[in-house]
Coordinates of all heavy atoms in Angstrom, one line a residue:
T12 N -5.7 -23.1 -6.0 CA -4.3 -23.3 -6.4 C -3.9 -24.7 -6.3 O -4.6 -25.5 -5.6 CB -3.4 -22.4 -5.6 OG1 -2.1 -22.2 -6.2 CG2 -3.2 -22.9 -4.1
K17 N 6.2 -32.9 -2.9 CA 7.2 -33.6 -3.8 C 7.7 -34.9 -3.1 O 7.5 -35.1 -1.9 CB 8.3 -32.6 -4.1 CG 7.9 -31.4 -4.9 CD 9.0 -30.5 -5.2 CE 8.7 -29.4 -6.3 NZ 9.9 -28.7 -6.7
Q35 N -4.7 -25.5 9.1 CA -4.7 -24.6 10.3 C -4.8 -23.1 9.9 O -5.3 -22.3 10.6 CB -3.5 -24.8 11.1 CG -3.6 -26.2 11.9 CD -2.5 -26.5 12.8 OE1 -1.6 -25.6 13.0 NE2 -2.5 -27.6 13.4
H60 N 9.6 -24.3 -17.9 CA 11.0 -24.6 -17.7 C 11.7 -25.3 -18.8 O 12.8 -25.8 -18.7 CB 11.2 -25.3 -16.4 CG 10.8 -24.5 -15.2 ND1 11.1 -23.2 -15.0 CD2 10.0 -24.8 -14.1 CE1 10.6 -22.8 -13.8 NE2 9.9 -23.7 -13.3
L66 N 16.1 -28.9 -15.7 CA 14.9 -29.6 -16.0 C 15.1 -31.2 -16.0 O 14.3 -31.9 -15.3 CB 14.1 -29.2 -17.2 CG 12.8 -29.8 -17.5 CD1 11.8 -29.6 -16.4 CD2 12.2 -29.4 -18.8
F72 N 14.0 -36.4 -10.3 CA 13.6 -36.3 -8.9 C 12.1 -36.4 -8.7 O 11.7 -37.2 -7.8 CB 14.1 -34.9 -8.4 CG 13.5 -34.4 -7.1 CD1 13.6 -35.2 -5.9 CD2 12.8 -33.2 -7.1 CE1 13.0 -34.7 -4.8 CE2 12.3 -32.7 -5.9 CZ 12.3 -33.5 -4.8
P77 N 6.2 -41.3 -5.4 CA 4.9 -40.6 -5.6 C 4.9 -39.2 -5.0 O 5.7 -38.9 -4.2 CB 3.9 -41.5 -4.9 CG 4.5 -42.8 -4.6 CD 6.0 -42.5 -4.5
A94 N 3.4 -17.7 -0.4 CA 4.1 -17.1 0.7 C 4.4 -18.1 1.8 O 5.5 -18.1 2.4 CB 3.3 -15.9 1.3
M95 N 3.5 -19.0 2.0 CA 3.7 -20.1 3.0 C 4.8 -21.0 2.6 O 5.4 -21.6 3.5 CB 2.4 -20.9 3.2 CG 1.3 -20.1 4.0 SD -0.3 -21.0 4.1 CE 0.2 -22.2 5.3
G97 N 7.5 -20.2 0.7 CA 8.7 -19.5 0.7 C 9.5 -19.6 -0.6 O 9.1 -20.3 -1.5
N103 N 17.5 -19.7 1.6 CA 17.1 -18.3 1.6 C 15.7 -18.1 2.2 O 15.3 -17.0 2.3 CB 17.2 -17.7 0.2 CG 18.5 -17.8 -0.4 OD1 19.5 -17.8 0.2 ND2 18.6 -18.0 -1.8
T108 N 8.3 -20.5 7.0 CA 7.8 -21.0 5.7 C 8.1 -22.5 5.6 O 9.0 -23.0 6.3 CB 8.4 -20.2 4.5 OG1 9.8 -20.5 4.5 CG2 8.2 -18.7 4.6
R117 N 18.1 -25.9 -3.3 CA 17.3 -25.2 -4.3 C 16.7 -26.2 -5.3 O 16.0 -25.8 -6.2 CB 18.2 -24.2 -5.1 CG 19.3 -25.0 -5.9 CD 20.1 -24.0 -6.8 NE 21.0 -24.8 -7.6 CZ 22.0 -24.4 -8.3 NH1 22.3 -23.1 -8.2 NH2 22.8 -25.2 -9.0
D127 N 0.6 -18.1 -9.6 CA -0.6 -17.2 -9.5 C -1.9 -18.0 -9.9 O -1.8 -19.1 -10.3 CB -0.4 -15.9 -10.3 CG -0.1 -16.2 -11.8 OD1 -0.7 -17.2 -12.3 OD2 0.6 -15.4 -12.4
S141 N -12.4 -32.3 -13.5 CA -13.2 -31.3 -12.7 C -14.0 -32.0 -11.6 O -14.2 -31.5 -10.5 CB -14.0 -30.5 -13.6 OG -14.8 -31.3 -14.4
E148 N -18.4 -26.3 2.1 CA -18.3 -25.2 3.0 C -17.7 -25.6 4.3 O -18.2 -26.5 4.9 CB -19.6 -24.5 3.1 CG -20.2 -23.9 1.8 CD -19.3 -23.0 1.1 OE1 -18.5 -22.2 1.7 OE2 -19.2 -23.0 -0.2
R149 N -16.7 -24.9 4.8 CA -16.2 -25.1 6.2 C -17.2 -24.5 7.1 O -17.6 -23.3 7.0 CB -14.9 -24.4 6.4 CG -13.7 -25.2 5.9 CD -12.4 -24.5 6.2 NE -12.0 -24.7 7.5 CZ -10.7 -25.0 7.9 NH1 -9.8 -25.2 7.0 NH2 -10.4 -25.1 9.2
A152 N -16.2 -21.2 8.6 CA -15.7 -20.1 7.7 C -15.8 -18.7 8.3 O -14.9 -17.9 8.1 CB -16.5 -20.2 6.4

Side-chain angles (χ1 to χ4, degrees):
T12 197
K17 292 183 171 187
Q35 290 184 4
H60 295 312
L66 184 60
F72 161 60
M95 289 175 74
N103 303 328
T108 64
R117 66 174 185 196
D127 56 32
S141 56
E148 296 306 324
R149 277 181 80 132

